[in-house]
Amino acid sequence: MQATAIILAAGLGTRMKSTLPKTLHRLAGRSMLRHLLASCEPAFDRIVVVLGPDMDAVRREAAPHACVVQQDRLGTAHAALQAVEHFGNGQAAVLYADNPLIRTATLRRLLDSHTPHGLSLLAFRPDDAAKYGRVITGEDGLVERIVEFADATDSERGVSLCNAGVLCGAAPEMERWLRAVRNDNAKGEYYLTDLVALARADGRPVTAVEAPADELAGVNSRGELARAEAVLQGWMRDAAMEAGVTMTDPSSVFLSADTKLGTDVTIEPNVFFGPGVTVASNVTIRAFSHLEGADIGPGSVIGPFARLRPGAKLEQDVHVGNFVEVKAAALAKGVKANHLSYIGDAAIGSGTNVGAGTITCNYDGFNKYRTTIGERVFIGSDTALVAPVTVGDGAIIGAGSVITEDVAPDALALARGRQVQKPGRASELRAAAKKEKV
């Protein structure tokens, strides 16, 4: 049976105090909307996102899925109704883009839970039920009604099962109930939760599918965004360690949603993974390193205090050490850059050693240029390579050199002033300075 997910994403995020639409705020480097889409895609045949007017950025984030626009924000049931032409004849579920952590397994349980003409909803038991609507069930375990906190009696407020707002039913029934929702309430809005009462009035069973509170907590403020980030990071760390990654201090490691880690990777404390990082097996990432957009080969050692920026591609057994930054550069097998260097817009051949303080001068204020370094090159400390420049295989660059021209293979390149020594001159300078000071 075909299943359609309707994701409500028209919210402006007023409580976020942000000009960015709420659903585009990020968790682990990925928007809330994209997190929910990733969970929905394996479970649903079709996904439709309901936007507000002038939300082109959300439309782009939702691609390639269909989008419809809720021109007037008249409530959640009204928003879902804007997508009714996409419901089809199978199942239709309505979700919220600010519930980004719902997992695919939970969505599949929701789809499997209801009878052909019934209604299902997601429910949870938070540690602090606060002002959530309560799900009131009968002796048969079916939902009798949802009571909003403000309208609940003391005994109803004592119920721990709370409404997450996600509903699922047969598409024709969902359409009929949505069209029957009225707005005779304090806010004059059409509420999605009214479908429960409408289904019960029709004598249809309403089933509550319980899921962990961490999955169903909504994100409406910066504080809730931070709490969702903490939950998601915990899940990802646990998954990584279960798959064979060692973390010395897991709570200080921050991953992105797309971080890929091989087996026997060791991650020391205070490491940050931005989007687009792939780490092969047997890699060690030492403390206080920052990585994004990087591909790290097997057996490599990164850090401590290293920074890998987008386009960094490290092959096998590469060492990138203390305060070394790599950007848009390919380092072949066995390259070592262990101290205080900047390698940008470069290609470095296998077995090359980059001395401390070396930089590739890749930008002249207007354009970027590339540095190409061959295999088995030794670059002395405090060398500046002014791109565009090529250093041939087996060359040696003397320490303190400024290289502005290509260096031939197996050549020794020295580009610094000759040392001059004047015996006794230091004593004369000190004596003159003391006399002048008096």
Side-chain angles (χ1 to χ4, degrees):
M1 180 184 294
Q2 187 181 66
T4 301
I6 310 301
I7 297 178
L8 306 187
L12 294 174
T14 304
R15 288 171 56 193
M16 287 284 192
K17 303 294 191 297
S18 174
T19 58
L20 185 70
K22 176 169 60 173
T23 188
L24 296 185
H25 284 265
R26 294 184 174 273
L27 296 167
R30 177 183 287 173
S31 72
M32 290 199 287
L33 175 58
R34 184 47 59 183
H35 276 287
L36 186 55
L37 287 171
S39 292
C40 286
E41 285 164 353
F44 292 92
D45 303 290
R46 177 168 48 198
I47 299 172
V48 183
V49 179
V50 181
L51 316 174
D54 302 318
M55 297 182 77
D56 291 340
V58 179
R59 183 184 295 274
R60 289 191 295 271
E61 191 75 358
H65 301 291
C67 294
V68 297
V69 177
Q70 182 190 26
Q71 291 293 343
D72 300 307
R73 292 179 172 88
L74 301 180
T76 50
H78 177 264
L81 200 57
Q82 307 313 298
V84 71
E85 66 183 55
H86 298 279
F87 277 19
N89 294 316
Q91 296 169 290
V94 182
L95 304 97
Y96 298 86
D98 57 10
N99 282 128
L101 301 185
I102 300 175
R103 290 174 157 175
T104 300
T106 296
L107 295 174
R108 286 181 170 143
R109 286 199 297 121
L110 179 70
L111 289 169
D112 292 341
S113 66
H114 70 277
T115 58
H117 298 290
L119 185 70
S120 293
L121 59 85
L122 288 182
F124 64 114
R125 299 180 191 273
D127 292 334
D128 179 8
K131 296 185 177 181
Y132 287 108
R134 301 305 200 265
V135 178
I136 308 301
T137 58
E139 293 182 359
D140 57 4
L142 296 175
V143 177
E144 292 185 343
R145 64 190 183 279
I146 294 176
V147 181
E148 296 304 322
F149 180 86
D151 301 322
T153 65
D154 287 343
S155 62
E156 288 170 337
R157 289 180 181 182
V159 173
S160 61
L161 191 63
C162 295
N163 176 38
V166 177
L167 296 175
C168 177
E173 307 289 351
M174 291 288 284
E175 178 180 353
R176 182 167 59 82
W177 291 328
L178 284 168
R179 293 191 186 280
V181 173
R182 300 172 60 87
N183 68 338
D184 48 356
N185 52 63
K187 290 188 176 181
E189 293 187 357
Y190 299 88
Y191 292 132
L192 187 64
T193 50
D194 288 356
L195 267 65
V196 173
L198 290 166
R200 290 291 297 173
D202 281 353
R204 305 297 173 78
V206 180
T207 305
V209 177
E210 190 171 340
D214 284 347
E215 284 190 45
L216 301 183
V219 177
N220 295 291
S221 67
R222 306 279 184 161
E224 290 172 348
L225 185 71
R227 287 189 282 276
E229 179 77 38
V231 169
L232 183 57
Q233 289 294 334
W235 290 351
M236 293 189 299
R237 293 167 189 146
D238 287 346
M241 290 186 286
E242 183 69 22
V245 173
T246 294
M247 296 184 184
T248 310
D249 178 15
S251 65
S252 70
V253 174
F254 286 82
L255 304 168
S256 278
D258 63 351
T259 302
K260 295 180 175 61
L261 302 171
T263 57
D264 292 314
V265 169
T266 297
I267 304 173
E268 294 182 359
N270 298 291
V271 173
F272 180 87
F273 292 84
V277 177
T278 298
V279 182
S281 60
N282 296 297
V283 169
T284 297
I285 302 174
R286 290 179 172 157
F288 293 98
S289 294
H290 187 290
L291 301 81
E292 56 184 321
D295 188 348
I296 303 169
S300 295
V301 179
I302 310 301
F305 294 97
R307 185 176 183 192
L308 302 185
R309 292 173 57 193
K313 182 173 177 56
L314 283 53
E315 295 186 13
Q316 184 176 348
D317 297 327
V318 170
H319 289 195
V320 172
N322 303 268
F323 302 102
V324 175
E325 180 177 348
V326 180
K327 188 270 298 183
L331 280 59
K333 180 179 178 180
V335 168
K336 291 181 173 58
N338 280 324
H339 315 283
L340 302 160
S341 295
Y342 171 69
I343 301 169
D345 296 283
I348 303 180
S350 61
T352 288
N353 185 85
V354 178
T358 294
I359 61 171
T360 57
C361 306
N362 56 335
Y363 182 55
D364 64 1
F366 300 95
N367 297 296
K368 294 286 184 71
Y369 300 95
R370 291 191 65 78
T371 298
T372 302
I373 301 171
E375 299 179 358
R376 305 177 312 282
V377 173
F378 182 89
I379 300 177
S381 298
D382 198 27
T383 292
L385 298 155
V386 183
V389 68
T390 297
V391 179
D393 294 347
I396 296 175
I397 309 294
S401 294
V402 178
I403 301 299
T404 59
E405 298 177 359
D406 290 351
V407 178
D410 292 318
L412 170 63
L414 303 169
R416 60 176 183 249
R418 183 180 294 276
Q419 181 173 320
V420 176
Q421 182 169 303
K422 298 184 177 182
R425 184 58 176 157
S427 298
E428 295 172 5
L429 289 172
R430 283 193 291 271
K434 288 179 182 178
K435 183 176 181 182
E436 187 173 318
K437 184 175 182 181
V438 174

